[in-house]
Amino acid sequence: MFDEIYKQVQKNTLLEKIRSKSFNWNEFKKLAEKNNMEEANTYAQKRLQWLGAGSSRCAFVLSSRFVLKSALGAGPIGLASLKGVAQNKNEVEVFTSPNLKSIFTEIYDFDSNYRWLVCEIVKEAHNRDYLRAFGCTKAFFFYVLNKTIDKKTAPTEAVLKELAQGYRENVNKINFKKLFETFNGVEEATKYGLHGGDMRYDDHWGITASGRIVLLDFGLSLDIWDQHYLGGRI
């Protein structure tokens, strides 16, 4: 019950911050409900800070804490990209999985048809952020990350300590329990079917306002890759 109340307070805070701008949340939703994402995204782009776009989705800053991810418009009338909808849906499903939730951004709201979602904003993580979060360098984090993805198995805390010693990390400062929990989440993600290549990019990882190092772009699964990218669907 407390979690639900807390999330509702967060949503209300989000809406309050949006009202102070020219962006009208209900107007954006109305356009999205018509499945005219070309127009919905153009509306948002004129009123919100643009974060960028990928192959199927674009992102906007809603506030100091929240970001809006929206499926791109596709085709002659700007219908929601099937790729974008699939990736939004996958992010929601991944986030609601107890075994995966620890390494992903919080999702606070989403369209029932997955045309858009609202999640916590994540900023670029520098070496100092990895040192604060785990006590290890960014280079060591990605060294172990790649091993975990390749083997689809997270190293134990004991193995992590051995790897850190070999990498000349300051083992006395590393939180091996926290590091293991993160790589265990990565292992679960690979088993779930998330695209390993997507997880390897350092710019797909970032830091939240609470100091968590998380994967910020996690919509691309192997199934989505096969169906929408290799298959050529828009």
Side-chain angles (χ1 to χ4, degrees):
M1 178 62 75
F2 175 80
D3 287 343
E4 292 303 314
I5 294 172
Y6 182 62
K7 285 187 177 181
Q8 189 60 49
V9 169
Q10 287 179 316
K11 286 182 184 179
N12 289 340
T13 303
L14 167 64
L15 294 174
E16 192 64 38
K17 289 182 179 179
I18 289 176
R19 286 194 199 105
S20 67
K21 302 175 182 179
S22 60
F23 179 83
N24 185 297
W25 187 232
N26 291 326
E27 184 62 28
F28 173 82
K29 284 184 176 180
K30 192 185 300 181
L31 292 169
E33 283 167 5
K34 293 178 181 177
N35 202 21
N36 189 339
M37 297 312 295
E38 194 75 48
E39 191 174 344
N41 292 331
T42 298
Y43 173 84
Q45 189 171 0
K46 288 179 179 179
R47 293 161 177 83
L48 297 172
Q49 181 184 342
W50 168 261
L51 275 178
S55 60
S56 61
R57 298 185 295 174
C58 53
F60 309 92
V61 176
L62 283 171
S63 72
S64 61
R65 295 179 56 202
F66 300 97
V67 64
L68 168 66
K69 289 184 180 181
S70 178
L72 290 174
I77 57 175
L79 300 180
S81 161
L82 296 177
K83 297 177 190 175
V85 167
Q87 290 191 44
N88 279 342
K89 182 180 180 182
N90 196 58
E91 286 199 9
V92 172
E93 289 176 349
V94 165
F95 173 72
T96 53
S97 170
N99 294 330
L100 299 168
K101 190 172 180 178
S102 63
I103 63 168
F104 299 120
T105 56
E106 292 272 353
I107 293 176
Y108 298 99
D109 198 3
F110 57 91
D111 172 48
S112 59
N113 290 304
Y114 305 105
R115 288 173 288 225
W116 56 264
L117 57 83
V118 175
C119 56
E120 64 181 328
I121 199 164
V122 181
K123 297 181 180 179
E124 180 184 0
H126 300 284
N127 189 58
R128 63 178 179 272
D129 299 311
Y130 286 86
L131 287 168
R132 287 172 186 158
F134 302 112
C136 70
T137 62
K138 181 177 180 179
F140 178 69
F141 178 89
F142 280 93
Y143 167 69
V144 180
L145 173 70
N146 283 303
K147 281 183 171 293
T148 302
I149 294 171
D150 290 339
K151 295 183 178 181
K152 296 185 179 180
T153 303
T156 64
E157 290 184 45
V159 171
L160 278 172
K161 191 168 185 178
E162 289 178 9
L163 291 173
Q165 288 171 332
Y167 211 81
R168 297 186 178 180
E169 293 285 307
N170 188 338
V171 295
N172 295 322
K173 291 189 175 181
I174 296 178
N175 186 333
F176 288 105
K177 183 177 185 297
K178 190 174 180 181
L179 204 55
F180 169 75
E181 287 173 354
T182 297
F183 291 127
N184 190 53
V186 171
E187 175 188 334
E188 291 294 329
T190 60
K191 290 177 180 177
Y192 179 84
L194 292 191
H195 201 291
D198 238 22
M199 289 190 280
R200 294 181 196 270
Y201 294 111
D202 65 350
D203 61 352
H204 283 194
W205 291 81
I207 187 165
T208 67
S210 62
R212 290 196 308 133
I213 299 291
V214 295
L215 191 63
L216 60 101
D217 190 346
F218 50 96
L220 185 59
S221 68
L222 293 173
D223 284 344
I224 291 172
W225 174 260
D226 290 342
Q227 292 175 25
H228 295 277
Y229 287 84
L230 292 181
R233 297 174 72 187
I234 59 173

